[in-house]
Amino acid sequence: MATRGRFITLEGIEGAGKSSVARALLQHLQATGQAVIASREPGGTPMAERIRELVLTRSEEPLPAGGELLLMFAARAVHVSNLLEPALARGDWVLCDRFTDATLAYQGGGRGVPLDDILSLTRFAHPGLSPDLTLLLDVPPAIGLQRARGRGENGDRFEDETVAFFDRVRAVYLQLAHAQPQRWCVIDATAPLQRVLEQAKAAVQALQGTP
Ligand code: Z5A
């Protein structure tokens, strides 16, 4: 039976640099000969990507916080069952741009859903699955939003949120990292990308050295 793979997640507010770091880590792990896949949430499989489209696209009909929360978990349940668990079971490492910590931060911190309610959905959607390592790319919203909006894209529903919303999201991320320092690695993502990457690679290498 294959040794189970490692599950690494990247978290942070919009524009923190998660996609850039995920791309570089994927190349880095592949170069070491490690079987690895990269994915993202919401999304990662065809069905979960359809839910992503639904939850991120602006629409005239309002999406209440409860609906947003359940759609995040619907996409996650599909993603875990159809992609993440099979990959980890065959021994692949998984790099995932956001996972359940994003729900605690965005729907919990941002929207005000009680964290205990989110944790009970977590136990239902992916009992027993938790990241081995979570990289938190920490930036103040003023910097993250400027980077994200600097790309000149039309953006998604979340990009319409206020700085205060992203301050609450960031505060929950930092609170989660503080509560579980053995799983989280907080990286100052205001630093140049090269420096951020060095720290991300060092955290991943430390994981490679553990049984
Ligand atoms: N969401 C949720 O509410 N609940 C959930 O459970 C989940 C998600 C899973 C989609 O996420 C939205 O879903 C997200 C939360 C919500 N919305 N928000 N906000 P997403 O991950 O697909 O979208 P995103 O967070 O908006 O990603 P992003 O804007 O693409 O940011 P990023 O991936 O962290 O950044 P990047 O694309 O790597 O970098 C942005 C730019 O900055 C780019 O031009 C880079 O070259 C530049 N960059 C990156 N790092 C640096 C450094 N260190 N210095 C200078 N410039 C840099």
Side-chain angles (χ1 to χ4, degrees):
M1 207 171 67
T3 308
R4 191 174 164 81
R6 297 302 179 97
F7 183 28
I8 301 169
T9 55
L10 295 105
E11 298 286 356
I13 63 158
E14 173 175 13
K18 300 176 308 302
S19 319
S20 311
V21 171
R23 271 194 303 275
L25 282 181
L26 180 68
Q27 285 176 1
H28 170 71
L29 281 168
Q30 283 169 336
T32 68
Q34 178 64 56
V36 55
I37 63 159
S39 194
R40 68 171 179 183
E41 286 210 348
T45 75
M47 191 185 290
E49 288 288 329
R50 293 213 297 275
I51 301 173
R52 175 188 177 93
E53 187 67 27
L54 201 61
V55 77
L56 294 189
T57 307
R58 295 180 181 92
S59 74
E60 278 180 25
E61 182 178 356
L63 178 58
E68 182 180 88
L69 172 70
L70 293 171
L71 285 171
M72 293 295 177
F73 271 104
R76 181 160 303 132
V78 171
H79 187 213
V80 168
S81 173
N82 295 349
L83 185 74
L84 299 188
E85 278 294 359
L88 293 166
R90 68 175 175 260
D92 287 4
W93 284 37
V94 173
L95 290 173
C96 194
D97 189 337
R98 299 191 184 282
F99 192 59
T100 297
D101 296 306
T103 314
L104 291 162
Y106 278 82
Q107 282 63 54
R111 303 277 189 234
V113 176
L115 297 190
D116 280 347
D117 290 351
I118 300 175
L119 290 171
S120 25
L121 288 169
T122 300
R123 287 189 284 273
F124 183 74
H126 53 89
L129 179 64
S130 172
D132 297 294
L133 170 67
T134 299
L135 303 172
L136 174 57
L137 305 186
D138 182 47
V139 281
I143 295 181
L145 296 181
Q146 190 184 31
R147 283 182 191 165
R149 288 167 189 169
R151 289 178 301 206
E153 294 163 3
N154 193 22
D156 59 38
R157 274 195 326 110
F158 287 93
E159 292 187 27
D160 300 336
E161 292 299 338
T162 60
V163 168
F165 174 91
F166 288 103
D167 275 330
R168 295 196 298 278
V169 172
R170 183 186 183 206
V172 170
Y173 272 135
L174 289 170
Q175 182 190 319
L176 295 171
H178 183 73
Q180 274 193 302
Q182 67 287 4
R183 167 159 76 91
W184 289 75
C185 171
V186 182
I187 298 175
D188 173 8
T190 63
L193 185 55
Q194 205 46 44
R195 176 84 193 105
V196 173
L197 283 177
E198 281 163 17
Q199 292 178 66
K201 282 181 192 168
V204 168
Q205 268 156 11
L207 191 64
Q208 278 179 306
T210 58

mmCIF file of all heavy atoms in Angstrom, residues 60-83:
data_model
loop_
_atom_site.group_PDB
_atom_site.id
_atom_site.type_symbol
_atom_site.label_atom_id
_atom_site.label_comp_id
_atom_site.label_asym_id
_atom_site.label_seq_id
_atom_site.Cartn_x
_atom_site.Cartn_y
_atom_site.Cartn_z
ATOM 1 N N GLU A 60 -27.680 39.445 -9.892
ATOM 2 C CA GLU A 60 -28.693 40.383 -9.366
ATOM 3 C C GLU A 60 -29.380 39.785 -8.159
ATOM 4 O O GLU A 60 -29.775 40.490 -7.233
ATOM 5 C CB GLU A 60 -29.707 40.701 -10.456
ATOM 6 C CG GLU A 60 -29.182 41.779 -11.383
ATOM 7 C CD GLU A 60 -30.144 42.121 -12.486
ATOM 8 O OE1 GLU A 60 -31.363 41.904 -12.319
ATOM 9 O OE2 GLU A 60 -29.664 42.615 -13.514
ATOM 10 N N GLU A 61 -29.559 38.453 -8.164
ATOM 11 C CA GLU A 61 -30.216 37.800 -7.033
ATOM 12 C C GLU A 61 -29.211 37.656 -5.897
ATOM 13 O O GLU A 61 -28.140 37.072 -6.084
ATOM 14 C CB GLU A 61 -30.725 36.406 -7.454
ATOM 15 C CG GLU A 61 -31.452 35.704 -6.331
ATOM 16 C CD GLU A 61 -32.001 34.336 -6.766
ATOM 17 O OE1 GLU A 61 -31.874 33.989 -7.956
ATOM 18 O OE2 GLU A 61 -32.535 33.654 -5.890
ATOM 19 N N PRO A 62 -29.524 38.189 -4.714
ATOM 20 C CA PRO A 62 -28.542 38.131 -3.627
ATOM 21 C C PRO A 62 -28.270 36.702 -3.175
ATOM 22 O O PRO A 62 -29.175 35.857 -3.197
ATOM 23 C CB PRO A 62 -29.194 38.935 -2.484
ATOM 24 C CG PRO A 62 -30.455 39.490 -3.011
ATOM 25 C CD PRO A 62 -30.764 38.858 -4.339
ATOM 26 N N LEU A 63 -27.024 36.444 -2.794
ATOM 27 C CA LEU A 63 -26.651 35.137 -2.235
ATOM 28 C C LEU A 63 -26.455 35.347 -0.735
ATOM 29 O O LEU A 63 -25.491 35.997 -0.318
ATOM 30 C CB LEU A 63 -25.350 34.644 -2.888
ATOM 31 C CG LEU A 63 -24.781 33.321 -2.383
ATOM 32 C CD1 LEU A 63 -25.780 32.173 -2.545
ATOM 33 C CD2 LEU A 63 -23.474 32.979 -3.108
ATOM 34 N N PRO A 64 -27.361 34.811 0.095
ATOM 35 C CA PRO A 64 -27.209 35.022 1.537
ATOM 36 C C PRO A 64 -25.997 34.260 2.078
ATOM 37 O O PRO A 64 -25.527 33.309 1.451
ATOM 38 C CB PRO A 64 -28.516 34.464 2.124
ATOM 39 C CG PRO A 64 -29.059 33.543 1.095
ATOM 40 C CD PRO A 64 -28.543 33.996 -0.243
ATOM 41 N N ALA A 65 -25.522 34.687 3.246
ATOM 42 C CA ALA A 65 -24.309 34.093 3.826
ATOM 43 C C ALA A 65 -24.457 32.584 3.990
ATOM 44 O O ALA A 65 -23.508 31.830 3.743
ATOM 45 C CB ALA A 65 -23.996 34.745 5.162
ATOM 46 N N GLY A 66 -25.657 32.117 4.381
ATOM 47 C CA GLY A 66 -25.866 30.675 4.575
ATOM 48 C C GLY A 66 -25.731 29.914 3.261
ATOM 49 O O GLY A 66 -25.164 28.823 3.217
ATOM 50 N N GLY A 67 -26.267 30.516 2.181
ATOM 51 C CA GLY A 67 -26.174 29.878 0.864
ATOM 52 C C GLY A 67 -24.724 29.825 0.408
ATOM 53 O O GLY A 67 -24.253 28.810 -0.126
ATOM 54 N N GLU A 68 -24.006 30.916 0.624
ATOM 55 C CA GLU A 68 -22.584 30.973 0.244
ATOM 56 C C GLU A 68 -21.791 29.893 0.992
ATOM 57 O O GLU A 68 -20.982 29.160 0.405
ATOM 58 C CB GLU A 68 -22.053 32.370 0.581
ATOM 59 C CG GLU A 68 -20.614 32.594 0.196
ATOM 60 C CD GLU A 68 -20.187 33.999 0.579
ATOM 61 O OE1 GLU A 68 -19.737 34.196 1.737
ATOM 62 O OE2 GLU A 68 -20.293 34.893 -0.271
ATOM 63 N N LEU A 69 -22.076 29.789 2.293
ATOM 64 C CA LEU A 69 -21.380 28.800 3.129
ATOM 65 C C LEU A 69 -21.629 27.382 2.617
ATOM 66 O O LEU A 69 -20.699 26.581 2.462
ATOM 67 C CB LEU A 69 -21.891 28.937 4.573
ATOM 68 C CG LEU A 69 -21.436 27.892 5.578
ATOM 69 C CD1 LEU A 69 -19.957 28.053 5.877
ATOM 70 C CD2 LEU A 69 -22.246 28.005 6.874
ATOM 71 N N LEU A 70 -22.902 27.070 2.344
ATOM 72 C CA LEU A 70 -23.232 25.697 1.929
ATOM 73 C C LEU A 70 -22.685 25.382 0.539
ATOM 74 O O LEU A 70 -22.274 24.252 0.273
ATOM 75 C CB LEU A 70 -24.747 25.479 1.998
ATOM 76 C CG LEU A 70 -25.297 25.511 3.437
ATOM 77 C CD1 LEU A 70 -26.818 25.523 3.439
ATOM 78 C CD2 LEU A 70 -24.778 24.337 4.261
ATOM 79 N N LEU A 71 -22.639 26.392 -0.332
ATOM 80 C CA LEU A 71 -22.052 26.156 -1.657
ATOM 81 C C LEU A 71 -20.548 25.876 -1.537
ATOM 82 O O LEU A 71 -20.008 25.017 -2.245
ATOM 83 C CB LEU A 71 -22.299 27.350 -2.583
ATOM 84 C CG LEU A 71 -23.725 27.459 -3.122
ATOM 85 C CD1 LEU A 71 -23.926 28.795 -3.852
ATOM 86 C CD2 LEU A 71 -24.045 26.304 -4.066
ATOM 87 N N MET A 72 -19.873 26.588 -0.621
ATOM 88 C CA MET A 72 -18.435 26.322 -0.402
ATOM 89 C C MET A 72 -18.249 24.875 0.029
ATOM 90 O O MET A 72 -17.348 24.180 -0.440
ATOM 91 C CB MET A 72 -17.846 27.257 0.673
ATOM 92 C CG MET A 72 -17.793 28.715 0.283
ATOM 93 S SD MET A 72 -16.647 28.987 -1.112
ATOM 94 C CE MET A 72 -16.893 30.752 -1.365
ATOM 95 N N PHE A 73 -19.121 24.413 0.935
ATOM 96 C CA PHE A 73 -18.973 23.043 1.420
ATOM 97 C C PHE A 73 -19.439 22.015 0.385
ATOM 98 O O PHE A 73 -18.901 20.904 0.340
ATOM 99 C CB PHE A 73 -19.675 22.846 2.766
ATOM 100 C CG PHE A 73 -18.765 23.163 3.923
ATOM 101 C CD1 PHE A 73 -18.897 24.336 4.628
ATOM 102 C CD2 PHE A 73 -17.739 22.283 4.274
ATOM 103 C CE1 PHE A 73 -18.034 24.635 5.679
ATOM 104 C CE2 PHE A 73 -16.868 22.573 5.316
ATOM 105 C CZ PHE A 73 -17.015 23.749 6.015
ATOM 106 N N ALA A 74 -20.412 22.372 -0.437
ATOM 107 C CA ALA A 74 -20.833 21.440 -1.501
ATOM 108 C C ALA A 74 -19.665 21.215 -2.460
ATOM 109 O O ALA A 74 -19.329 20.079 -2.809
ATOM 110 C CB ALA A 74 -22.043 22.008 -2.246
ATOM 111 N N ALA A 75 -19.021 22.321 -2.863
ATOM 112 C CA ALA A 75 -17.863 22.203 -3.762
ATOM 113 C C ALA A 75 -16.757 21.389 -3.079
ATOM 114 O O ALA A 75 -16.109 20.542 -3.698
ATOM 115 C CB ALA A 75 -17.349 23.595 -4.133
ATOM 116 N N ARG A 76 -16.560 21.644 -1.801
ATOM 117 C CA ARG A 76 -15.471 20.959 -1.061
ATOM 118 C C ARG A 76 -15.735 19.453 -0.959
ATOM 119 O O ARG A 76 -14.813 18.650 -1.125
ATOM 120 C CB ARG A 76 -15.358 21.592 0.334
ATOM 121 C CG ARG A 76 -14.251 20.991 1.186
ATOM 122 C CD ARG A 76 -13.874 21.934 2.305
ATOM 123 N NE ARG A 76 -13.480 23.213 1.754
ATOM 124 C CZ ARG A 76 -13.917 24.407 2.190
ATOM 125 N NH1 ARG A 76 -14.736 24.477 3.213
ATOM 126 N NH2 ARG A 76 -13.519 25.513 1.609
ATOM 127 N N ALA A 77 -16.980 19.075 -0.667
ATOM 128 C CA ALA A 77 -17.289 17.646 -0.515
ATOM 129 C C ALA A 77 -16.996 16.906 -1.819
ATOM 130 O O ALA A 77 -16.442 15.799 -1.814
ATOM 131 C CB ALA A 77 -18.750 17.465 -0.105
ATOM 132 N N VAL A 78 -17.337 17.546 -2.950
ATOM 133 C CA VAL A 78 -17.065 16.942 -4.263
ATOM 134 C C VAL A 78 -15.554 16.854 -4.500
ATOM 135 O O VAL A 78 -15.007 15.823 -4.915
ATOM 136 C CB VAL A 78 -17.732 17.809 -5.371
ATOM 137 C CG1 VAL A 78 -17.301 17.358 -6.754
ATOM 138 C CG2 VAL A 78 -19.252 17.760 -5.237
ATOM 139 N N HIS A 79 -14.863 17.933 -4.212
ATOM 140 C CA HIS A 79 -13.414 18.023 -4.428
ATOM 141 C C HIS A 79 -12.662 16.986 -3.583
ATOM 142 O O HIS A 79 -11.779 16.286 -4.070
ATOM 143 C CB HIS A 79 -12.987 19.451 -4.046
ATOM 144 C CG HIS A 79 -11.579 19.800 -4.339
ATOM 145 N ND1 HIS A 79 -10.858 20.656 -3.540
ATOM 146 C CD2 HIS A 79 -10.730 19.426 -5.347
ATOM 147 C CE1 HIS A 79 -9.640 20.796 -4.053
ATOM 148 N NE2 HIS A 79 -9.537 20.067 -5.132
ATOM 149 N N VAL A 80 -13.053 16.879 -2.307
ATOM 150 C CA VAL A 80 -12.379 15.936 -1.405
ATOM 151 C C VAL A 80 -12.587 14.513 -1.905
ATOM 152 O O VAL A 80 -11.646 13.725 -2.017
ATOM 153 C CB VAL A 80 -12.902 16.092 0.050
ATOM 154 C CG1 VAL A 80 -12.440 14.931 0.925
ATOM 155 C CG2 VAL A 80 -12.432 17.418 0.645
ATOM 156 N N SER A 81 -13.844 14.192 -2.234
ATOM 157 C CA SER A 81 -14.160 12.814 -2.600
ATOM 158 C C SER A 81 -13.580 12.422 -3.961
ATOM 159 O O SER A 81 -13.084 11.313 -4.131
ATOM 160 C CB SER A 81 -15.684 12.669 -2.595
ATOM 161 O OG SER A 81 -16.038 11.442 -3.091
ATOM 162 N N ASN A 82 -13.619 13.353 -4.928
ATOM 163 C CA ASN A 82 -13.265 12.972 -6.301
ATOM 164 C C ASN A 82 -11.817 13.267 -6.675
ATOM 165 O O ASN A 82 -11.317 12.744 -7.665
ATOM 166 C CB ASN A 82 -14.185 13.680 -7.301
ATOM 167 C CG ASN A 82 -15.630 13.217 -7.132
ATOM 168 O OD1 ASN A 82 -15.885 12.247 -6.419
ATOM 169 N ND2 ASN A 82 -16.560 13.910 -7.761
ATOM 170 N N LEU A 83 -11.154 14.142 -5.917
ATOM 171 C CA LEU A 83 -9.764 14.459 -6.287
ATOM 172 C C LEU A 83 -8.797 14.331 -5.107
ATOM 173 O O LEU A 83 -7.798 13.618 -5.197
ATOM 174 C CB LEU A 83 -9.685 15.884 -6.864
ATOM 175 C CG LEU A 83 -8.288 16.242 -7.374
ATOM 176 C CD1 LEU A 83 -7.971 15.549 -8.696
ATOM 177 C CD2 LEU A 83 -8.119 17.746 -7.547
#
